[in-house]
Amino acid sequence: MNKIPFGLFLVPLVFFGPIARAAEPQPGYEVSEENSRSVFTTNVYVAGSGGYHTYRIPSLVAAANGDVLAFAEGRKRGTGDSGDIDLLLRRSTDQGRTWQPTQTVWDDGSHTCGNPCPVLDRDTGTLWLLMTWNRGDDTEPQIIAQQSKDTRRVFITSSADGGLSWARPREITRDVKQTNWTWYATGPGAGIQVERGPHKGRLLIPCDHIEAGTRAYYSHVIFSDDHGSSWKLGGASPQPQVNECEIVELLDNKLLLNMRNYNPARRARQQALSIDGGLTWIRQRQVPELVEPICQASIRRFSWPDNIRQSVLLFSNPASTRRERLTVRASFDEGETWPVSRLLDPRPSAYSCLAKLAGDSMAVLYEAGGKSPYEALVFTRFRLPWLMEGRPE
């Protein structure tokens, strides 16, 4: 299981640090005047630019110094999930208004490097980035059927300088993947660090896997209690037919796992709770309000309740039975209900990733386009008053 993937360490080390490229034109979809009740929007990655056919799998995180980091898969030959895929990064030092040239975090030749899922350790300032690898000539169906040349592997890298440079990727497959699992994905999206309670400081990464034989889809988490030095398997969803997921911390030392739903009879997200820091998950249920077209989504905490603020969770996904209409929703009761929603982009859209930025701004990086949701990765920054002007459900 821990054999080094073919060619992984044959590429020059420079691939794991910053690589300067010519700045690429990034036309905005729409730019509104920036105030508390408007949004700022621009394209970060555009299909066909920079030597890549397609950019997919958005992941957004704020570094310790406030810089905004936008990760993506750069797909060389087409829109598909297999083949020559590199893991890329662009940085903004001004809250998303402008973006620096593309940086290559991981390029292993013709193989597939992807599924970025970062998390910031607020105690150390270190950024951890979980990723997956497979041979470029192995497809997902072949891996699931155990007919591939290799398998899906899990890697980690880290940055101590806010993402300017990255450590050589290190394989952790044996620590976080069971031997009877075939397909495996980290994220996509971002992880969290627990802020309160007995598990304060724990780093949590949402993942999913498929069991061999049954081919059942499950969501699960992995975690670190030593600031990223080692990683362990946490709990999995009690029931199958779920996979890509994200985690949010709730009140009373609980966690919520929000999951992509594969039950064709009910096009809505599923969620489960944990009362032990993600070691086990209970009360899995569907959430009818969160309609979805079988797609990835994102969930984040905007604020904790105190003397000034209420508890606010935010959620983004294409709120349709098709991949379209990227929508942001708000919950004020720890994810039990989602009474406020606002349409962010009416066009075809798919994956998204929310992030809390400096100054009480929120941002989302998402896939969208005029005819296809895979024409660009779009960045939008907004404030809560804009969202609260959305329609009550």
Side-chain angles (χ1 to χ4, degrees), residues 59-71 91-92 95 118-122 125-127 162-163 190-191 300 353-358 361 363 379:
S59 179
L60 194 67
V61 68
N65 67 352
D67 286 359
V68 183
L69 307 183
F71 298 89
R91 170 189 307 275
S92 175
Q95 299 289 282
V119 62
L120 172 66
D121 188 327
R122 296 184 304 276
T126 300
L127 279 165
R300 291 286 178 274
C353 185
L354 289 160
K356 179 79 177 291
L357 306 185
S361 289
F379 172 89

Side-chain angles (χ1 to χ4, degrees), residues 6-44:
F6 176 76
L8 180 63
F9 298 117
L10 299 183
V11 295
L13 181 60
V14 70
F15 281 124
F16 307 118
I19 293 183
R21 292 181 176 172
E24 300 150 8
Q26 303 296 339
Y29 162 60
E30 178 183 351
V31 178
S32 301
E33 180 185 355
E34 293 181 76
N35 56 53
S36 64
R37 285 180 167 78
S38 63
V39 299
F40 170 80
T41 298
T42 187
N43 292 337
V44 180

Side-chain angles (χ1 to χ4, degrees), residues 6 15 44 60 79 97 122-123 129 135 146 179 208 216 239 263 271 285 290 312 317 334 341 361 390:
F6 176 76
F15 281 124
V44 180
L60 194 67
T79 60
R97 174 164 286 279
R122 296 184 304 276
D123 300 324
L129 180 62
R135 288 179 59 103
Q146 298 178 285
T179 56
D208 63 81
Q239 303 297 325
N263 184 344
Q271 65 185 34
R285 69 177 182 89
L290 302 184
V312 181
N317 83 326
E334 305 302 291
S341 71
S361 289

Side-chain angles (χ1 to χ4, degrees), residues 3-10 108 111 133 135 150:
K3 182 183 73 175
I4 295 174
F6 176 76
L8 180 63
F9 298 117
L10 299 183
D108 188 26
H111 300 308
W133 176 98
R135 288 179 59 103
D150 206 309

Side-chain angles (χ1 to χ4, degrees), residues 241-242 258-271 285-295 315 317 320-321:
Q241 289 191 300
V242 288
N258 184 283
M259 301 169 284
R260 175 172 170 167
N261 169 44
Y262 272 85
N263 184 344
R266 301 191 61 186
R267 294 294 182 90
R269 301 289 290 180
Q270 293 198 42
Q271 65 185 34
R285 69 177 182 89
Q286 290 191 311
V287 188
E289 291 173 273
L290 302 184
V291 60
E292 74 159 13
I294 305 181
C295 187
F315 173 84
N317 83 326
S320 172
T321 56

Side-chain angles (χ1 to χ4, degrees), residues 346-367:
R347 302 177 300 165
S349 56
Y351 286 31
S352 62
C353 185
L354 289 160
K356 179 79 177 291
L357 306 185
D360 275 349
S361 289
M362 285 298 299
V364 58
L365 184 69
Y366 63 96
E367 301 172 334

Side-chain angles (χ1 to χ4, degrees), residues 117-151:
C117 193
V119 62
L120 172 66
D121 188 327
R122 296 184 304 276
D123 300 324
T124 66
T126 300
L127 279 165
W128 294 94
L129 180 62
L130 280 292
M131 313 168 289
T132 53
W133 176 98
N134 58 265
R135 288 179 59 103
D137 53 0
D138 281 341
T139 65
E140 181 175 350
Q142 290 172 330
I143 294 172
I144 294 171
Q146 298 178 285
Q147 297 173 350
S148 53
K149 297 183 180 71
D150 206 309
T151 188

Side-chain angles (χ1 to χ4, degrees), residues 50-62:
Y52 292 93
H53 180 281
T54 302
Y55 297 95
R56 284 215 60 201
I57 319 303
S59 179
L60 194 67
V61 68

